[in-house]
Amino acid sequence: MNRFYQLPTLRIDPTRKKTFTYLGKTYQGVDGDTVAAALYANGIRIFARSLKYHRPRGLYSMDGECSNTCMEVDNIPNVRAENTLLKNGMTVKAQNVKGTPEKDFMGFMDKMSWAMPAGFYYNTMHKPASIWPIALKQIRKVAGLGKLAPDFEMTGKYDEIFPTADVCVIGGGPAGMNAALAAAENGLRVILLESRPWLGGFFEYRAAQYQNETPLFQRARDLAKQVADTPDIRTFTHTAMVGAYNNNLITAFQTGGADDSFDQRYIEIRAQSVVVATGCIERPLLFENNEKPGIMQIACAHRLARTYGLLPGEKAVFSIGHDLGLEAAIDLFDLGLKISCVADIREDGQDPDLVEIMRRKKIPLLRGWVATDAHGKKTLNKVTLSTLQGTRDKEFACDLLVASAGMTPVTGPLAVAQAELCFDNHTGFFLPANLPVKMHAAGRMLGLNDALAIEASGRSAGLLAAADCGSSVDTSLNEARADLENLPGPVKGSKMVTAPVKGDKTFICFDEDTTVKNIKQAIKKGFDVAELIKRFTSASTGPGQGGIPGHNLPLFVAQYNADPDVSAKPTTIRPPLVPTFIATYAGANHDMCKRTPLDALQKKAGGVFRRIGVWSRARYFSQDFTCRDEIENVRNNVGLFDASTLGKFRIWGPDALKALQRVYVGDMSKIADGKIKYSAMCNEDACIIDDGVVIKRGENDYYFTTSTARAGAAVEWIRYHTRYDGWNFNMVNLTDALGVINLAGPNARKVLAKVTDADISNDAFPYAGYREFKIKDTIPVRVMRLGFVGELSYELHTPSSYMPALWEILEDAGSEFGIRNFGLEAQNVLRMEKCHLIIGAESEQRTTLHDVGLGFLWDRTKTDTKTVGAFALKQTEKQDGRLKLVGFKMENSDARAPRDGSIIVDSKIRGYVCIARNSHTLNEVVGLALVDESLAETGTKLEIYEDECGDERLYAVVALTPFYDPDAKRLKM
Amino acid sequence: MENIKKLSPVVFKARPVKTEVRDNQTVVLEYVGEELGPYLTDLSHKIRWDVQDSNLDAIKPWGIAIPETPGLSVLENGFLINRMNRTQASVWHLAGEKPDDPDDSAYTETTDATMFVALTGRETFAIAEKLTSLDFAVPDKKAPFLLQGPIAHVPCQIVTLAQNGEHCGLLFTCSRGYAQSMIGAILEAGEEFGLRPAGETAFNKFLTQ
């Protein structure tokens, strides 16, 4: 196909060829081509088949307003070929095709449309009920656009940015560029978003005169240069706005070019004020076979020639309702297109200058005529035109029909920002009635048609946005408003929706194959509101997000129902306004997790890591996930455990004790010097939320720990529960400042004694004691004698930067005893054997302090502060029907351990297994469960049901706890 | 104890060419191939304190008045002091001899609690906007100023140190545990701008400009 290479409006570089394959054949396009333009240049007219009827579909809008040109590009389905720039080596395939787009074996579906009236799947294939599952499978086989392999992996680089602006302008046409320039004049930071790869909007490709012999495209480029030369304006081209949220949060996605470091990137903009200047699209003309390949909108035909150098056809008919159609016909005629006839919906009101030019060029103009039918087996070869009343008709042979009912504003950005849209009788547009605060609309979308008025409107909106940001713009704004008032206002628009046809194959929604007949069927069934009809017929629910049927649907419904004031509204649309890759939303997707200071050492030691909450932690130190060796080494020798994730806090000040008394159930005034105090926190319902230890390090100065899970919430929790008291205390979160090593096992003292001069004998440093000393005279440690794993243990808290050194020192000192690491799973088994709890593992949202047997921690004599949960602790102490924590052993000694979370049943669910493991220490399976109080008695048999166990059950018996070292001798040795 | 070393939470893959041992910790002064920025510098060894008191205005860390308004910072005598809220400030020692420990219960040393890095160079804000929606280049705010919010979804304290065209810089801290993830995220965000690790010398030069 010959192309124009000399037009000044072109956006292609014919010297730079690009090669791609389509259906296995190699084709060439040029730099700047979209995939669709390149296919069109190579004579491809059928791009895909439609969703339901498998009708051939071709180029229509050039802006991806419908699924006609959704194709599979480089294995990614549903790529909008009209918006996707061609790259060397691309592989393009048609989709929704069985065979080829020209010969689709599913093409017979078009003849079955009689069997698929609106909502047919609600009415058919349901009786008898057994048919539906079969029908469902068949429907699913043919439904959907595009196919994605289950193992598909998205390639490319997907990025994200979160820029801030004073003013965000959506739409880089003449109004948008003027708005951006006006705002930037006031020293504001402006972001300008444009969906096409260049600025200019509907000026950009037109050769018509702007002013003083300057063509519109030149004006567009002049404005674009001004924008580029303004440092405060940041322009994002090839960037589609997709969402608007509270406080002017605007989201968009940008397609990267050859020089960009990304393929697509998500953009999230915080702006003080927003200007929407998204212009108009064409409202599709409804007539029989209105989507046949060869039929396209005015701008599509015009831009094919002016932007891509492609004459859209050889012989054309126009059926239009706007002067842009006349202008395009003249321009394309001058470029060599044969035009049989221009039918204008309007009986009058055309631009007389354009009419005169057409007369001179002998282009026939039929006023008050419209296309009623398009003919041709697969592509267009003939058009029937008729009078608006359908009284007379004419037929014209042609391969191109340029069809459009008129203009309609792009209201998506306003709609997602929750602006109210009302029909305006003069323009025939849905116009914004109430714009959100600090949002302004400008330009063609308000019905303006005059180039200068569009620009003045943009400038005015830009100044209003500047005023929103606090700029003093009164004088400029008055001048801009005066300019606008002296220019032509909104023009009368075409309201025609459908030609005088029955509508059997008049498509109101191309994406979903919804015809005018379907809409009428829905209305006859009582769906009289566009929003309901949309759901019943699926019109405007396709990938075009209502671009094609968006405004035609409510207008058609209003006209059909003879609604005199067109009270109907456009149906609801939601972000993303244009189809976006999920990968783009995912963006860089940094996996942010916390690592302990010992991360590298533990990895080196063979640690098997798991993500637990925000932390990455070593769960095992071998591939034996029962951790037998790790456990036995702690029980018989000595082990090292990284407990750095524990929450650690300093609280101090005159009222620090009061704050502790408020949140802990115990009496914190009784913390002895050199001792630790174990206690718990409850919520107002007496449910246990955390446990930990508190140490008094000085006058009104305490150090306390929380569980790992509660570390992030502890400060807020204490501040919240003291918010009305005006107490004077301070807190610092030291969770990351201090690492923790748990040195545990009967040889722990021997190891520690080798690295410190401090007296750590059992007398000098007994169980539940706290000391501070130095390791090797250098490393400061805060040491607690605790016994979470049920053995002689020292918990060493030390500055995180010293943690690796301390670990290596202890490893070195313990080597003669065979010291080794143990991980989270080993710790879990060890503490379970001892029946030491992990809050959250053996408790849930409704579990009270009493339920887990920790009621003894509650000091009910505290009087100076009201303890959080104290009232409920009284109420729940003797409450019936609660789940109680019990220990259990399996009834048969050779039975395996039930899975964590398995439910305990009789005729009802009576509880669940919190944890159960095969204890190598005890040589039997033991576990902890929360069970109905009636089952909590020692010796009670528990019936355990596991997922998918069928009729099989496991049986256990409630046992005395703790299972290991019930006299706690080993902790105190 | 010669072999007892403190370690920074930040590890760069770059090879150091100049190092110095301070307070049991090896500080990298320069990496191989630093060339031009933008730079990411590990300052985690710089001493930092949290200061809290109900009468915060009465406290003058090393003789420097804490800014009265939350969000304001002051850089004086090598100390950067950031007012966080009514009762709390952070003090970061950026330059000069190691100061004596303050003898006041209002101070808690938090050096080991956080990782501390500087992001400097013309492209600083372009890199930062890939990681956060916080606005570090607000024209009507005079550097240095403090923002508290997320970078790569992780809560941080961030100080805009300079915002003058070529001379742009951010300092920020986040929980030490996030160091490895955070450094990865920053370097990935800065890849297209040529972001590279730099030693303390580069930061000191930046600070004196």
Side-chain angles (χ1 to χ4, degrees):
Chain A
M1 187 173 185
N2 292 329
R3 299 180 75 158
F4 306 116
Y5 288 139
Q6 303 302 325
L7 297 177
T9 50
L10 291 180
R11 291 289 183 177
I12 53 168
D13 179 356
T15 62
R16 295 171 66 190
K17 305 286 183 202
K18 301 220 165 172
T19 304
F20 67 104
T21 60
Y22 172 63
L23 297 179
K25 280 180 73 178
T26 303
Y27 293 91
Q28 264 197 344
V30 296
D31 191 46
D33 268 342
T34 62
V35 172
L39 286 168
Y40 207 84
N42 283 281
I44 307 299
R45 293 293 175 269
I46 303 174
F47 285 66
R49 290 281 174 153
S50 69
L51 173 74
K52 209 159 59 175
Y53 302 139
H54 280 251
R55 288 169 64 90
R57 291 285 165 80
L59 211 52
Y60 189 78
S61 74
M62 218 53 198
D63 268 329
E65 287 167 25
C66 59
S67 63
N68 277 17
T69 51
C70 279
M71 306 187 87
E72 189 178 302
V73 177
D74 291 341
N75 298 321
I76 302 171
N78 292 319
V79 172
R80 297 183 306 157
E82 291 170 337
N83 308 66
T84 304
L85 289 173
L86 184 70
K87 289 181 190 167
N88 245 336
M90 268 181 166
T91 304
V92 182
K93 290 178 189 165
Q95 59 184 38
N96 216 37
V97 165
K98 288 258 190 277
T100 65
E102 278 71 25
K103 276 195 176 176
D104 178 18
F105 297 121
M106 293 294 285
F108 72 91
M109 291 294 287
D110 193 24
K111 304 225 182 311
M112 301 292 290
S113 57
W114 58 270
M116 291 179 269
F120 73 96
Y121 38 84
Y122 294 119
N123 302 323
T124 57
M125 298 175 279
H126 289 279
K127 287 180 184 174
S130 55
I131 293 176
W132 179 240
I134 301 162
L136 188 70
K137 276 186 189 166
Q138 300 310 314
I139 290 172
R140 283 194 173 152
K141 269 187 199 168
V142 295
L145 286 174
K147 281 191 167 55
L148 203 58
D151 59 351
F152 174 78
E153 278 187 25
M154 194 77 174
T155 55
K157 175 137 171 74
Y158 299 90
D159 214 336
E160 59 200 348
I161 55 168
F162 306 89
T164 307
D166 297 308
V167 177
C168 177
V169 179
I170 304 165
M177 286 193 283
N178 270 282
L181 288 164
E185 274 170 22
N186 288 279
L188 299 172
R189 292 181 296 171
V190 180
I191 283 179
L192 177 60
L193 305 177
E194 168 53 44
S195 58
R196 291 182 187 151
W198 45 77
L199 297 176
F202 92 132
F203 279 14
E204 192 271 334
Y205 58 91
R206 291 166 61 199
Q209 296 301 302
Y210 165 71
Q211 204 182 24
N212 303 329
E213 302 297 312
T214 304
L216 285 166
F217 72 82
Q218 189 55 52
R219 173 62 180 165
R221 290 176 188 198
D222 292 346
L223 278 173
K225 183 165 187 318
Q226 276 187 55
V227 167
D229 291 344
T230 306
D232 284 337
I233 302 178
R234 194 169 170 192
T235 303
F236 293 94
T237 53
H238 218 171
T239 302
M241 181 268 196
V242 288
Y245 304 87
N246 284 351
N247 297 324
N248 285 332
L249 175 73
I250 303 296
T251 59
F253 77 89
Q254 183 175 27
T255 302
D259 299 329
D260 289 313
S261 62
F262 56 88
D263 290 287
Q264 276 194 3
R265 70 176 173 186
Y266 170 74
I267 304 177
E268 190 175 288
I269 302 153
R270 290 244 171 230
Q272 287 196 55
S273 189
V274 173
V275 175
V276 180
T278 40
C280 291
I281 57 171
E282 288 165 57
R283 199 158 47 73
L285 182 63
L286 303 184
F287 57 96
E288 288 294 277
N289 304 305
N290 57 332
E291 34 62 280
K292 196 174 282 294
I295 300 171
M296 62 181 68
Q297 294 186 324
I298 300 165
C300 181
H302 208 172
R303 287 173 59 209
L304 262 179
R306 281 279 169 190
T307 305
Y308 299 103
L310 292 164
L311 205 56
E314 289 182 8
K315 195 172 182 187
V317 170
F318 280 59
S319 178
I320 47 87
H322 194 280
D323 282 345
L324 281 175
L326 305 183
E327 182 190 313
I330 294 165
D331 197 30
L332 290 170
F333 178 83
D334 289 344
L335 291 171
L337 183 69
K338 290 175 193 152
I339 299 178
S340 302
C341 170
V342 174
D344 194 332
I345 293 162
R346 299 169 298 173
E347 289 177 341
D348 53 31
Q350 291 88 355
D351 182 337
D353 293 342
L354 293 172
V355 174
E356 174 55 23
I357 296 169
M358 288 179 71
R359 191 191 62 74
R360 283 205 313 263
K361 293 181 185 286
K362 297 191 171 71
I363 303 171
L365 173 64
L366 295 173
R367 301 178 207 234
W369 282 65
V370 65
T372 54
D373 202 351
H375 309 272
K377 197 173 177 190
K378 285 170 188 160
T379 57
L380 182 75
N381 61 20
K382 191 170 71 177
V383 171
T384 303
L385 301 178
S386 92
T387 56
L388 296 184
Q389 296 74 26
T391 49
R392 281 192 61 200
D393 58 37
K394 292 182 178 184
E395 290 188 344
F396 295 90
C398 60
D399 65 345
L400 173 68
L401 171 60
V402 177
S404 168
M407 295 293 135
T408 198
V410 179
T411 52
L414 297 175
V416 291
Q418 307 297 311
E420 189 187 345
L421 298 170
C422 288
F423 186 75
D424 176 64
N425 259 314
H426 176 66
T427 55
F429 282 11
F430 289 100
L431 294 178
N434 280 313
L435 282 168
V437 176
K438 296 188 178 180
M439 180 173 267
H440 311 276
R444 206 154 64 113
M445 68 184 313
L446 299 177
L448 299 169
N449 196 46
D450 178 78
L452 294 174
I454 288 166
E455 289 193 23
S457 162
R459 178 167 172 74
S460 180
L463 291 169
L464 283 170
D468 290 340
C469 302
S471 299
S472 177
V473 296
D474 289 351
T475 310
S476 321
L477 188 56
N478 287 337
E479 286 170 9
R481 281 176 169 156
D483 288 348
L484 188 56
E485 279 169 17
N486 290 326
L487 291 163
V491 294
K492 191 169 185 296
S494 155
K495 290 179 209 157
M496 179 163 191
V497 180
T498 178
V501 292
K502 277 165 62 182
D504 289 5
K505 289 290 166 70
T506 299
F507 289 88
I508 197 163
C509 177
F510 296 180
D511 293 0
E512 299 293 314
D513 268 345
T514 312
T515 61
V516 163
K517 185 181 174 185
N518 294 147
I519 305 300
K520 289 176 184 172
Q521 287 166 339
I523 293 171
K524 276 180 190 151
K525 280 182 178 286
F527 297 96
D528 56 349
V529 180
E531 200 73 61
L532 294 175
I533 293 167
K534 170 180 167 178
R535 277 151 184 78
F536 191 66
T537 63
S538 70
S540 106
T541 60
Q545 268 279 29
I548 294 293
H551 291 177
N552 261 347
L553 177 62
L555 290 176
F556 176 80
V557 173
Q559 286 188 0
Y560 191 77
N561 287 336
D563 177 357
D565 59 355
V566 194
S567 59
K569 303 273 189 293
T571 56
T572 307
I573 53 172
R574 298 176 177 84
L577 288 176
V578 294
T580 313
F581 294 147
I582 299 289
T584 307
Y585 271 104
N589 196 22
H590 304 295
D591 180 23
M592 305 303 287
C593 72
K594 291 181 88 170
R595 292 175 174 84
T596 75
L598 298 175
D599 185 76
L601 280 177
Q602 297 208 319
K603 280 193 176 121
K604 203 173 156 190
V608 179
F609 279 67
R610 294 284 184 267
R611 183 77 176 265
I612 295 159
V614 296
W615 291 93
S616 172
R617 301 187 70 182
R619 183 150 192 141
Y620 314 99
F621 279 95
S622 75
Q623 289 304 310
D624 170 19
F625 289 174
T626 70
C627 307
R628 184 180 193 128
D629 291 347
E630 292 170 48
I631 292 165
E632 286 180 353
N633 197 54
V634 175
R635 289 277 179 250
N636 303 319
N637 187 18
V638 59
L640 279 171
F641 176 73
D642 178 11
S644 300
T645 62
L646 279 175
K648 298 170 280 289
F649 300 87
R650 180 190 176 202
I651 181 168
W652 79 101
D655 298 315
L657 178 58
K658 286 181 184 168
L660 292 172
Q661 294 280 49
R662 171 66 52 82
V663 295
Y664 280 107
V665 295
D667 186 350
M668 311 315 284
S669 67
K670 293 179 180 168
I671 305 172
D673 289 344
K675 297 285 282 182
I676 58 169
K677 184 169 180 65
Y678 172 72
S679 192
M681 295 187 202
C682 290
N683 64 16
E684 291 88 341
D685 300 327
C687 296
I688 186 165
I689 58 158
D690 197 18
D691 66 345
V693 297
V694 186
I695 291 120
K696 189 175 179 184
R697 295 188 70 227
E699 187 62 25
N700 295 324
D701 201 338
Y702 300 85
Y703 177 63
F704 68 93
T705 67
T706 70
S707 60
T708 299
R710 287 290 294 182
V715 168
E716 292 302 315
W717 182 260
I718 295 172
R719 288 280 179 215
Y720 177 78
H721 286 288
T722 56
R723 65 195 183 281
Y724 299 122
D725 299 288
W727 291 340
N728 183 3
F729 67 93
N730 309 293
M731 280 182 289
V732 174
N733 186 340
L734 297 173
T735 299
D736 287 64
L738 297 163
V740 177
I741 296 170
N742 186 9
L743 180 68
N747 288 325
R749 185 178 293 117
K750 290 178 194 163
V751 176
L752 190 58
K754 285 181 70 180
V755 297
T756 181
D757 295 333
D759 183 358
I760 57 165
S761 65
N762 202 25
D763 292 336
F765 189 2
Y767 177 67
Y770 172 79
R771 299 289 182 273
E772 293 184 10
F773 49 80
K774 285 193 172 174
I775 301 292
K776 298 266 187 187
D777 295 327
T778 305
I779 304 174
V781 285
R782 303 174 182 188
V783 187
M784 304 172 190
R785 257 201 77 179
L786 293 164
F788 191 54
V789 297
E791 300 293 344
L792 167 67
S793 301
Y794 298 91
E795 211 172 73
L796 291 88
H797 297 219
T798 198
S800 292
S801 55
Y802 273 127
M803 277 288 283
L806 177 60
W807 184 269
E808 284 177 336
I809 287 168
L810 292 171
E811 270 193 329
D812 187 46
S815 60
E816 65 176 287
F817 307 105
I819 196 169
R820 57 175 296 173
N821 298 330
F822 64 102
L824 260 183
E825 176 59 17
Q827 186 218 34
N828 202 23
V829 177
L830 288 160
R831 65 92 198 172
M832 180 204 65
E833 291 167 348
K834 182 66 184 161
C835 293
H836 283 161
L837 309 186
I838 292 179
I839 308 301
E842 281 84 51
S843 67
E844 52 170 63
Q845 210 168 12
R846 59 187 164 165
T847 309
T848 68
L849 190 71
H850 304 299
D851 294 338
V852 292
L854 292 179
F856 67 90
L857 292 175
W858 174 36
D859 187 317
R860 59 191 80 199
T861 64
K862 283 196 290 181
T863 53
D864 54 341
T865 55
K866 187 183 145 209
T867 304
V868 177
F871 186 72
L873 279 168
K874 274 182 202 162
Q875 285 188 319
T876 57
E877 193 172 13
K878 307 283 183 201
Q879 194 177 35
D880 291 333
R882 303 202 59 82
L883 291 181
K884 295 289 181 186
L885 187 69
V886 298
F888 68 83
K889 297 182 177 182
M890 301 311 287
E891 191 179 49
N892 296 323
S893 56
D894 54 349
R896 64 175 175 81
R899 287 198 288 268
D900 295 354
S902 300
I903 54 174
I904 291 164
V905 297
D906 47 21
S907 59
K908 290 181 179 173
I909 296 172
R910 296 292 186 187
Y912 62 91
V913 174
C914 302
I915 180 173
R917 296 286 187 276
N918 183 17
S919 165
H920 301 299
T921 310
L922 304 165
N923 202 23
E924 61 182 331
V925 171
V926 293
L928 297 168
L930 276 165
V931 298
D932 198 291
E933 199 170 7
S934 62
L935 300 177
E937 201 68 25
T938 302
T940 308
K941 187 172 173 178
L942 302 176
E943 183 178 347
I944 299 170
Y945 176 95
E946 288 184 320
D947 273 353
E948 298 173 358
C949 68
D951 293 332
E952 297 288 318
R953 298 285 185 274
L954 295 169
Y955 293 95
V957 177
V958 176
L960 283 172
T961 57
F963 307 119
Y964 179 72
D965 187 24
D967 300 326
K969 286 180 183 165
R970 297 182 69 86
L971 304 179
K972 297 171 183 170
M973 63 194 292
Chain B
M1 290 299 296
E2 201 177 309
N3 294 325
I4 295 179
K5 287 275 170 63
K6 292 206 272 188
L7 291 184
S8 167
V10 175
V11 179
F12 292 131
K13 283 181 183 162
R15 191 161 58 85
V17 282
K18 275 188 196 163
T19 61
E20 189 175 295
V21 176
R22 278 183 230 151
D23 189 23
N24 291 342
Q25 184 156 2
T26 303
V27 176
V28 178
L29 302 178
E30 189 184 336
Y31 286 98
V32 171
E34 282 189 3
E35 299 168 15
L36 296 172
Y39 292 137
L40 185 63
T41 307
D42 176 23
L43 301 174
S44 300
H45 56 280
K46 301 276 184 188
I47 301 177
R48 303 178 294 288
W49 293 268
D50 174 276
V51 191
Q52 281 187 63
D53 198 274
S54 56
N55 188 15
L56 193 64
D57 294 336
I59 296 175
K60 293 203 172 356
W62 291 272
I64 304 163
I66 295 172
E68 287 181 6
T69 311
L72 292 188
S73 302
V74 60
L75 179 60
E76 210 173 304
N77 300 334
F79 289 94
L80 182 67
I81 302 178
N82 314 301
R83 180 73 176 235
M84 295 163 65
N85 54 46
R86 186 178 59 83
T87 60
Q88 195 173 13
S90 56
V91 180
W92 301 345
H93 181 245
L94 298 182
E97 290 298 306
K98 184 187 172 191
D100 294 335
D101 289 336
D103 184 22
D104 185 333
S105 68
Y107 293 81
T108 308
E109 196 194 319
T110 53
T111 310
D112 272 6
T114 56
M115 70 147 220
F116 182 31
V117 292
L119 180 60
T120 53
R122 188 165 56 93
E123 301 86 352
T124 294
F125 300 121
I127 297 167
E129 76 172 3
K130 293 180 71 177
L131 298 162
T132 178
S133 57
L134 295 173
D135 189 4
F136 302 121
V138 192
D140 55 359
K141 275 194 177 176
K142 192 168 174 281
F145 61 87
L146 169 76
L147 290 175
Q148 297 177 80
I151 291 184
H153 308 291
V154 172
C156 294
Q157 279 188 38
I158 313 107
V159 173
T160 298
L161 213 49
Q163 48 176 349
N164 308 321
E166 297 287 317
H167 190 58
C168 296
L170 295 175
L171 287 173
F172 69 93
T173 65
C174 73
S175 288
R176 182 188 182 98
Y178 281 115
Q180 196 175 323
S181 297
M182 184 62 81
I183 293 300
I186 299 168
L187 287 174
E188 191 184 327
E191 194 180 351
E192 65 177 291
F193 304 101
L195 179 68
R196 65 195 68 209
E200 193 193 59
T201 306
F203 174 72
N204 289 341
K205 271 187 205 160
F206 173 86
L207 204 57
T208 52
Q209 275 172 17

